[in-house]
Amino acid sequence: MYNTSAGIVPGKINVHLVPHSHDDVGWLKTVDQYYVGSNNSIQVACVQNVLDSLIPALVADKNRKFIYVEQAITHGFFALLSFDFLLEINGGMCMHDEAAPHYIDMIDQTTLGHRYIKEQFNVTPRIGWQIDPFGHSAVQAYLLSAEVGFDFLFFARIDYQDRAKRINEKTLEVVWRASKSLGSSAQIMTGISPKNYEPPSDNFYFEVGDTSPIVQDDMNLFDYNVPERVNDFVSAAIAQANITRTNHIMWTMGTDFKYQYAHTWFRQMDKFIHYVNQDGRVNALYSTPSMYIDAKYAANESWPLKTDDFFPYADRENAYWTGYFTSRPALKGYVRTMSAYYLAARQLEFFKGRNEVGLSTDSLADALALVQHHDAVSGTEKQHVADDYAKRLSIGYTEAEKCPLLNISYCPPSEVDLSSGKSLVVVVYNPLGWKREDIIRIPVINENVTVKDSKGKVIESQLLPLLKDSMSLRNSYSTAYLGKSTNVTPSYWLAFSASVPPLGFNTYIISSAKQAGYESSHSGMRTVYKSQISQNDTIEVGPGNLKLLYSGKRAKLMRYINSKTSVNKLLEQSYIYYRGDDGSKDLQPSGAYIFRPNGTYPIEPEGQVTRVYKGKDHAEIEFTVGPIPIDDGIGKEVVTQITSNMISNKTFYTDSSGRDFIERIRDYRKDWNLEVNQPIAGNYYPVNLGIYMKDNSSELSILVDRSVGGSSIADGQLELMLHRRLVADDNRGVSEALNETVCVFDKCEGLTIIGKYYLRIDPVGEAAKWRRSFGQEIYSPFLLAFTEQDGDHWANSHLATYSAMDTTYVLPDNVALITLQELDSGKVLLRLAHLYEIEEDTDLSVMSSVELKKVFPKKKISKVTEMNLSANQERAVMEKKRLVWRVEGSSKEQPTAVRGSPVDPAKLVVELAPMEIRTFVIEFYSERGSFSDALYRRSNLRRKATFSLP
């Protein structure tokens, strides 16, 4: 009855109708509740209804189109096989957030979805579709779009001031060149919605129950309105065409959880296409993002250039979405811990040999992919949904991990009573490609203990007191989360230095000093470091080059001195809280998304430990924050501030998803003249790796253990938001205050978190080495395995130390191994990442190389295939078919970026240029398991020990 076969008509405004449903994999309901349609008292949403009604609607008219993003919620829906256009966009397991996730997690979740789609449907997505995340990172542009092979990236949310300027100047579609290191070789054509990811106005919503007027085209009935509805359509099309370059515009026909009865949408769009094209003023057609961008590309237009990123985001005055950078800090910390564990566990799974049954990393992979969603790790979901994400992570983790609360000193394997003659065996695994030395701290109940290395030599160790607050937290949280309390109470932290080869392990034996031949009065290798108090009432802390000076009376940090680098700086550290605005003036309170401070108040710290290690030139600050009191009805956002006398000139630097560092200037935007209405919240940025500032002589850097919000609100000062607890909803849909509590029996109180950040001051130009190398160590800590032994039985029957790599080889200092994963049929997925940007470091911002023969010395490589970043197509194929978009102004074109050469199949050497990540699928000759034989010689370690992160 209706002619829906229209294609593109040259010379007319072509309105590309793109039907879609944005189906969050958790937000107000859990992912499972959304799928089956339960818990509808919260939100009427059922993905099963969408999928079940969608396929018949598409079958009914072959001209109809639809796109679907979230693979985690459609996994296994094989009916999509007949409609490959459904899967052409994004293709990851979720639409990940771009502020809170680490770039490795973004890569992993995208790879999981892309390889699934390729294997099941032979589809390779070519469009990025990040329509709902609350700001957009440079890493999303050049890594998760260009480097996976996308031709175009769509999104909707940018700052309201930025959008207004772009609408006025017709610059909503740009070439985004986000990496200064990779330049034009990793740029991506980007389209920003004029409004949001919904239809162009309230006149075009057609879900059951929506109130937009339908097209009533039966002249025998009342309310015939075809001319009026055609005029509505044409007017909206012309309005959008006036702010868009070329004669092609796109309408996103759908929004959250729409098409539960798909015919209600398609029936109206059929009519619009039919009658609008009969009218002839504009041309309407069913389309997809691929069809739209191909039409744009054919126009041979030149496009404006965009650099850097799209943070922070405000959707209106006084409404900066910068609170979620810190929201739910415990979940953010848990995600980062699980991410590190997953990276290491995949390596061990490869060394051992992947089994189709039994222990596997698959469930952890699925859980980690799901929690990268933009309403998951972001902290912007309802509490019961956050609990669901944590539960899924725990289930995945538990397959190999029995010690989930080590960070609050609850670790039964290390709390055995050694006085009975038993020893504790600690196997320390290093997932990095470098030899590494680091301090291990484990809780113990015995005072007289000694530590031996893998050669049986007693090494220096240290007993540290456990804080009373830590013990109290340990007891209540183990009860809350494990459902049990322990009768064993550790007395000390036992700290010792572990040295571990790359991709390898070392073994340490902890036993009673008496058993080891050392009486309690003479356990000579166990030392305690004490700070020195000077005559002028200052306390000096630090056993090596680095000294921190504190005032003796107030215990306030005063000065940072490094005798090795000749750094001597005034330095203070303090805590404050921002009072969360309650929205009484304009209905915009501080909430899960929005950061809106209303006053600053100092806090006297009670839960902080600062550590300075021998041989380390940085300070480790461990903080305990919570419960945040709200008895006064006021929400609070807790911040730590580091203040120096540096002259930073409003300038500081934050990382992009743990990768590039981007210059930030307070109260300034490069793309428009900023109207400042929130001088604090409007200067906050996401911090995944670190934040730093510099002047003419020095650089002050802070690295973090999870994603947080950070800024420099005053010159010479950096701040991090550590925790937030609020009493009002911020009116962005979640309809719940960010008020996390923990309940033990009948008593509930606000969430307490424990976390760390790391501080260092370097001479200017010399700080990148620490930020990059130690930043990698923070992300990939040692992995610990514990077991007990009587006598020397375990040590005599197991390999004590091992490296999977050639014993004479380590990776270069500027290269990290970020993926080592066994695939089907014995193939291996390998990713190597250059850690430095161009001009970041004199010595290390250079081409580097990795010898694959020495990375896999016990296997013979038969084939190396370089892939795109998400490993769903060969890189050569991707590069050949990617569209190259023209940029306005030839002077803005950059020289071709330096890239590593193709891998010679004989030499098997991988070159990496600054900021380059290269992905390979490696095949080996069929000899099985040299790794496995060596690693698990004479016994299966995994059955004997539980793996844990320090």
Side-chain angles (χ1 to χ4, degrees):
M1 179 180 179
Y2 300 108
N3 181 4
T4 60
S5 62
I8 292 169
V9 177
K12 282 189 176 181
I13 296 172
N14 288 275
V15 184
H16 294 250
L17 301 181
V18 178
H20 78 106
S21 182
H22 175 59
D23 296 348
D24 293 299
V25 292
W27 179 36
L28 308 183
K29 306 199 293 189
T30 69
V31 60
D32 288 349
Q33 290 170 349
Y34 273 134
Y35 182 73
V36 300
S38 61
N39 210 356
N40 280 344
S41 62
I42 294 177
Q43 183 183 14
V44 178
C46 178
V47 173
Q48 271 188 319
N49 288 347
V50 175
L51 298 173
D52 288 346
S53 70
L54 177 61
I55 301 305
L58 293 174
V59 169
D61 185 341
K62 62 181 177 59
N63 296 312
R64 293 172 174 172
K65 301 289 189 291
F66 196 86
I67 56 172
Y68 207 95
V69 173
E70 294 84 3
Q71 300 311 311
I73 211 166
T74 61
H75 227 55
F77 196 80
F78 293 102
L80 302 181
L81 182 62
S82 303
F83 307 98
D84 56 6
F85 53 77
L86 285 165
L87 303 173
E88 70 172 23
I89 59 171
N90 255 24
M93 298 303 289
C94 68
M95 186 184 296
H96 55 228
D97 183 46
E98 298 181 38
H102 193 276
Y103 76 93
I104 293 177
D105 289 329
M106 297 164 80
I107 292 171
D108 284 344
Q109 83 86 15
T110 303
T111 299
L112 192 63
H114 277 197
R115 289 185 62 82
Y116 173 80
I117 292 172
K118 186 69 175 179
E119 292 167 1
Q120 297 294 331
F121 310 117
N122 195 30
V123 171
T124 304
R126 62 181 292 234
I127 307 293
W129 190 259
Q130 290 290 109
I131 55 173
D132 199 23
F134 329 123
H136 303 281
S137 72
V139 157
Q140 177 61 42
Y142 83 86
L143 267 185
L144 278 303
S145 297
E147 291 292 286
V148 302
F150 289 165
D151 286 317
F152 207 102
L153 170 63
F154 287 97
F155 55 77
R157 297 188 187 273
I158 64 169
D159 189 277
Y160 72 102
Q161 296 181 38
D162 191 10
R163 189 191 303 276
K165 183 173 184 286
R166 292 183 180 281
I167 286 174
N168 187 56
E169 297 178 352
K170 285 191 174 184
T171 57
L172 285 168
E173 292 174 313
V174 298
V175 173
W176 190 0
R177 188 175 295 165
S179 170
K180 62 185 178 184
S181 300
L182 300 179
S184 59
S185 72
Q187 66 192 23
I188 183 74
M189 184 65 187
T190 303
I192 305 161
S193 169
K195 180 185 175 186
N196 48 35
Y197 55 86
E198 305 187 10
S201 76
D202 292 340
N203 279 329
F204 301 98
Y205 289 79
F206 303 112
E207 196 74 11
V208 172
D210 284 343
T211 58
S212 298
I214 64 168
V215 179
Q216 205 296 82
D217 57 348
D218 189 339
M219 299 184 70
N220 295 317
L221 301 176
F222 291 154
D223 303 322
Y224 177 81
N225 65 355
V226 170
E228 291 88 345
R229 294 304 279 138
V230 169
N231 285 339
D232 291 340
F233 189 102
V234 172
S235 296
I238 292 173
Q240 187 167 331
N242 286 336
I243 60 173
T244 308
R245 301 190 186 196
T246 79
N247 60 325
H248 296 275
I249 63 174
M250 185 175 75
W251 287 6
T252 47
M253 297 301 292
T255 184
D256 296 7
F257 298 98
K258 300 303 182 184
Y259 292 79
Q260 296 192 61
Y261 182 55
H263 283 288
T264 64
W265 284 85
F266 284 114
R267 183 183 299 121
Q268 300 306 312
M269 286 187 287
D270 287 352
K271 294 179 180 182
F272 272 120
I273 292 171
H274 180 83
Y275 292 115
V276 165
N277 291 345
Q278 279 188 349
D279 174 84
R281 286 175 286 173
V282 301
N283 180 60
L285 67 153
Y286 278 123
S287 188
T288 66
S290 279
M291 294 169 61
Y292 174 75
I293 66 122
D294 286 342
K296 287 279 189 178
Y297 186 75
N300 202 28
E301 179 84 9
S302 293
W303 303 93
L305 184 67
K306 161 69 180 173
T307 58
D308 295 340
D309 63 5
F310 287 90
F311 284 115
Y313 160 62
D315 59 354
R316 61 175 182 256
E317 187 177 349
N318 298 320
Y320 278 94
W321 297 45
T322 54
Y324 83 96
F325 299 160
T326 298
S327 294
R328 301 193 185 279
L331 178 63
K332 284 177 165 67
Y334 193 31
V335 170
R336 182 63 56 87
T337 300
M338 293 300 96
S339 175
Y341 180 77
Y342 179 55
L343 183 148
R346 282 182 295 175
Q347 296 174 0
L348 293 170
E349 192 172 45
F350 163 62
F351 298 150
K352 180 179 180 293
R354 180 176 171 84
N355 295 322
E356 295 303 318
V357 295
L359 292 175
S360 166
T361 61
D362 288 351
S363 62
L364 182 56
D366 290 340
L368 271 170
L370 192 72
V371 81
Q372 307 310 318
H373 168 59
H374 59 271
D375 279 309
V377 68
S378 58
T380 55
E381 66 273 39
K382 281 185 177 292
Q383 184 61 54
H384 78 105
V385 181
D387 294 341
D388 183 74
Y389 290 130
K391 180 179 180 180
R392 292 170 186 273
L393 288 171
S394 179
I395 290 170
Y397 189 29
T398 299
E399 289 193 358
E401 173 53 66
K402 306 297 182 185
C403 183
L405 293 174
L406 185 63
N407 71 327
I408 57 169
S409 312
Y410 184 78
C411 194
S414 70
E415 295 173 15
V416 296
D417 185 356
L418 302 178
S419 62
S420 62
K422 290 184 177 181
S423 297
L424 178 68
V425 179
V426 184
V427 179
V428 185
Y429 177 71
N430 174 20
L432 297 180
W434 318 309
K435 181 181 179 181
R436 177 175 173 188
E437 293 187 11
D438 207 349
I439 303 298
I440 290 174
R441 291 187 303 122
I442 58 175
V444 293
I445 63 173
N446 299 90
E447 178 180 358
N448 296 310
V449 295
T450 189
V451 182
K452 293 181 180 180
D453 64 14
S454 57
K455 296 180 180 179
K457 179 183 176 182
V458 176
I459 63 172
E460 184 176 13
S461 61
Q462 187 175 18
L463 288 177
L464 305 172
L466 278 166
L467 300 180
K468 291 182 180 180
D469 288 346
S470 176
M471 294 305 303
S472 175
L473 191 65
R474 167 193 193 266
N475 292 334
S476 62
Y477 276 39
S478 60
T479 301
Y481 289 109
L482 300 180
K484 60 183 180 181
S485 58
T486 175
N487 296 323
V488 179
T489 300
S491 304
Y492 305 97
W493 283 113
L494 174 66
F496 60 92
S497 179
S499 178
V500 187
L503 291 186
F505 63 82
N506 211 343
T507 305
Y508 295 86
I509 308 294
I510 301 172
S511 56
S512 70
K514 184 175 182 179
Q515 175 190 349
Y518 295 90
E519 296 296 335
S520 60
S521 61
H522 188 260
S523 55
M525 301 305 292
R526 180 167 51 79
T527 64
V528 176
Y529 176 77
K530 295 183 178 180
S531 60
Q532 303 297 317
I533 303 179
S534 67
Q535 292 182 352
N536 61 357
D537 200 34
T538 60
I539 302 173
E540 182 183 279
V541 178
N545 298 319
L546 176 60
K547 307 290 184 185
L548 300 181
L549 300 187
Y550 290 83
S551 64
K553 292 181 179 180
R554 301 179 59 215
K556 289 284 189 179
L557 179 61
M558 299 164 50
R559 187 170 287 273
Y560 178 107
I561 302 172
N562 189 317
S563 58
K564 179 181 178 181
T565 61
S566 300
V567 169
N568 189 326
K569 287 285 185 182
L570 293 173
L571 195 67
E572 296 180 1
Q573 188 233 352
S574 59
Y575 287 89
I576 64 166
Y577 74 84
Y578 293 115
R579 174 175 174 158
D581 195 294
D582 62 5
S584 58
K585 291 183 179 180
D586 59 3
L587 301 181
Q588 184 50 73
S590 210
Y593 299 91
I594 307 297
F595 173 33
R596 190 180 183 186
N598 184 8
T600 305
Y601 302 86
I603 302 173
E604 285 298 322
E606 296 179 359
Q608 175 176 301
V609 177
T610 302
R611 301 183 181 95
V612 180
Y613 296 106
K614 185 178 179 180
K616 305 287 186 180
D617 290 338
H618 65 263
E620 174 187 295
I621 294 92
E622 181 177 296
F623 56 86
T624 301
V625 179
I628 298 174
I630 56 171
D631 297 343
D632 54 4
I634 297 171
K636 300 171 182 67
E637 320 196 41
V638 178
V639 165
T640 185
Q641 294 179 329
I642 305 296
T643 305
S644 74
N645 59 352
M646 294 172 62
I647 304 171
S648 54
N649 294 320
K650 294 188 174 183
T651 303
F652 60 105
Y653 303 81
T654 64
D655 67 275
S656 175
S657 305
R659 198 86 177 120
D660 311 62
F661 278 93
I662 297 178
E663 182 183 74
R664 312 297 190 185
I665 301 175
R666 190 163 60 252
D667 296 335
Y668 172 80
R669 302 291 187 270
K670 183 183 293 186
D671 293 333
W672 77 94
N673 293 323
L674 177 65
E675 179 183 332
V676 178
N677 52 62
Q678 285 291 313
I680 298 175
N683 285 300
Y684 254 67
Y685 292 87
V687 177
N688 259 280
L689 169 61
I691 181 172
Y692 73 93
M693 63 183 175
K694 62 184 179 179
D695 62 12
N696 292 332
S697 64
S698 57
E699 298 184 34
L700 191 161
S701 307
I702 301 175
L703 302 182
V704 298
D705 68 345
R706 70 198 70 191
S707 60
V708 296
S711 188
S712 175
I713 303 302
D715 276 2
Q717 185 182 83
L718 295 175
E719 71 178 55
L720 300 173
M721 184 184 291
L722 305 177
H723 195 2
R724 55 202 311 256
R725 187 183 185 193
L726 301 161
V727 297
D729 175 61
D730 53 14
N731 302 313
R732 292 305 183 278
V734 76
S735 299
E736 185 176 282
L738 183 66
N739 180 15
E740 296 182 278
T741 59
V742 176
C743 298
V744 179
F745 303 118
D746 294 329
K747 180 183 178 183
C748 297
E749 61 182 11
L751 175 72
T752 296
I753 64 157
I754 296 177
K756 295 178 184 177
Y757 63 91
Y758 307 85
L759 169 70
R760 177 163 161 158
I761 304 178
D762 288 281
V764 68
E766 298 180 17
K769 289 183 177 68
W770 179 71
R771 288 194 294 264
R772 293 300 185 181
S773 60
F774 188 66
Q776 205 65 28
E777 292 184 13
I778 294 171
Y779 179 79
S780 291
F782 282 147
L783 191 67
L784 307 183
F786 301 91
T787 193
E788 299 174 28
Q789 72 168 1
D790 290 312
D792 295 327
H793 174 73
W794 196 95
N796 291 334
S797 61
H798 289 76
L799 198 64
T801 185
Y802 177 79
S803 176
M805 293 168 57
D806 188 303
T807 56
T808 65
Y809 187 70
V810 297
L811 291 187
D813 291 342
N814 53 6
V815 173
L817 189 157
I818 62 172
T819 306
L820 179 59
Q821 177 182 3
E822 183 171 348
L823 304 174
D824 297 334
S825 306
K827 296 179 182 179
V828 171
L829 181 63
L830 174 73
R831 280 195 192 89
L832 298 166
H834 198 298
L835 296 176
Y836 288 76
E837 301 175 64
I838 58 170
E839 302 174 353
E840 186 176 7
D841 184 86
T842 304
D843 301 319
L844 296 171
S845 293
V846 296
M847 184 73 74
S848 195
S849 61
V850 173
E851 299 179 50
L852 294 182
K853 291 179 181 179
K854 293 185 177 180
V855 174
F856 302 102
K858 301 174 181 68
K859 284 183 170 290
K860 189 173 182 181
I861 296 172
S862 61
K863 186 178 181 182
V864 176
T865 305
E866 183 162 11
M867 309 294 286
N868 69 327
L869 185 69
S870 57
N872 67 343
Q873 57 185 311
E874 293 188 21
R875 183 170 184 91
V877 173
M878 178 199 81
E879 290 177 336
K880 194 174 295 184
K881 67 183 183 181
R882 270 199 80 214
L883 302 181
V884 179
W885 298 81
R886 297 174 59 189
V887 177
E888 283 183 345
S890 57
S891 62
K892 294 182 180 178
E893 293 293 341
Q894 296 180 341
T896 302
V898 176
R899 295 271 191 165
S901 302
V903 176
D904 185 308
K907 297 179 179 178
L908 294 176
V909 174
V910 177
E911 294 180 342
L912 293 110
M915 277 291 107
E916 189 173 22
I917 297 179
R918 300 186 70 178
T919 304
F920 302 93
V921 170
I922 299 178
E923 300 176 45
F924 301 99
Y925 289 105
S926 58
E927 52 191 280
R928 177 67 217 176
S930 298
F931 285 119
S932 178
D933 294 344
L935 186 59
Y936 294 88
R937 189 172 297 165
R938 284 177 283 182
S939 181
N940 189 328
L941 174 64
R942 208 155 194 170
R943 281 198 305 243
K944 299 286 185 179
T946 57
F947 287 91
S948 160
L949 287 166

